[in-house]
């Protein structure tokens, strides 16, 4: 038993750290993301130093594009996640069924021209900014927690590491 595939894609603006992208790919695999798009050259130049230990980069299309606007999946609502004034706090946000989530670079912000074409802008309430991978994990978990998800021991058995056979 597995979690159902989501109508969800991620768009990363010029990610800098291949370890963060690998962690995002792992989260994408865990939460049923369909594809990951990225802009810029920094990740392209470093992606062979991959830390995706579950090899989700072989399963989930990870596609370099010139513009995330051109990569929006058909019918998807665009949701930008950024610490920007006027954004909706993630706990109050209702995720669209078909979503394209945009996350900014680790060392910058989502540009104003990108914010302008997004359907929604949300932020994660924290006491400090999180790194890119942590943001993706919290976002995808929030989406799952607000959905009608499958639960139970069969899911636990299919999701856990092969070295884990613990029972209560």
């Amino acid at each position: 038993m597995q979690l159902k595939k989501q109508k969800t894609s991620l768009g990363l603006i010029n990610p800098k750290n291949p370890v963060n992208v690998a962690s995002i790919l792992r989260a994408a695999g865990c939460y049923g993301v369909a594809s990951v798009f990225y802009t810029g050259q920094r990740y392209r130049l470093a992606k062979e130093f991959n830390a995706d230990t579950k090899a989700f980069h072989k399963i989930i299309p990870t596609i370099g594009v010139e513009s995330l606007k051109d990569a929006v999946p058909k019918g998807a609502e665009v949701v930008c996640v950024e610490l920007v004034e006027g954004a909706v706090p993630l706990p109050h946000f209702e995720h669209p069924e078909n979503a394209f989530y945009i996350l900014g670079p680790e060392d910058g912000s989502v540009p104003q021209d990108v914010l302008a074409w997004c359907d929604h802008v949300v932020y994660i309430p924290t006491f400090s900014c999180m790194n890119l991978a942590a943001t993706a994990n919290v976002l995808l978990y929030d989406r799952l927690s607000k959905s009608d998800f499958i639960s139970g021991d069969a899911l636990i058995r299919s999701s856990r590491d092969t070295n884990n056979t613990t029972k209560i």
Side-chain angles (χ1 to χ4, degrees):
M1 175 180 295
Q2 299 243 337
L3 293 172
K4 71 176 187 171
K5 287 287 184 194
Q6 302 289 311
K7 289 184 180 178
T8 307
S9 294
L10 299 175
L12 311 177
I13 296 175
N14 198 21
K16 153 178 120 164
N17 185 324
V19 174
N20 268 340
V21 176
S23 295
I24 288 170
L25 286 168
R26 180 143 184 195
C30 289
Y31 294 107
V33 169
S35 54
V36 176
F37 298 91
Y38 65 91
T39 63
Q41 296 299 317
R42 297 187 301 184
Y43 177 65
R44 281 185 181 110
L45 297 173
K47 67 181 177 181
E48 68 266 14
F49 304 107
N50 195 322
D52 175 15
T53 58
K54 292 290 185 182
F56 284 119
H57 67 280
K58 295 178 181 177
I59 300 166
I60 300 168
T62 308
I63 305 158
V65 296
E66 289 299 315
S67 167
L68 292 176
K69 188 173 185 178
D70 297 335
V72 176
K74 185 176 181 174
E77 291 184 45
V78 181
V79 181
C80 180
V81 183
E82 181 64 280
L83 286 170
V84 61
E85 293 178 24
V88 174
L90 186 61
H92 298 167
F93 183 66
E94 185 176 325
H95 296 268
E97 182 180 342
N98 185 355
F100 183 50
Y101 296 104
I102 294 181
L103 300 131
E106 294 97 319
D107 56 352
S109 299
V110 174
Q112 188 68 47
D113 65 317
V114 173
L115 291 170
W117 53 263
C118 292
D119 297 304
H120 310 278
V121 181
V122 301
Y123 74 97
I124 300 170
T126 60
F127 294 107
S128 182
C129 59
M130 297 188 303
N131 78 17
L132 184 62
T135 300
N137 273 280
V138 169
L139 171 72
L140 294 172
Y141 176 76
D142 184 76
R143 178 182 174 86
L144 173 72
S145 73
K146 294 174 180 174
S147 73
D148 183 22
F149 61 92
I150 301 167
S151 62
D153 289 345
L155 178 64
I156 292 168
R157 284 190 297 275
S158 70
S159 298
R160 66 185 174 190
D161 189 273
T162 56
N163 296 323
N164 178 354
T165 58
T166 307
K167 297 178 183 177
I168 296 178

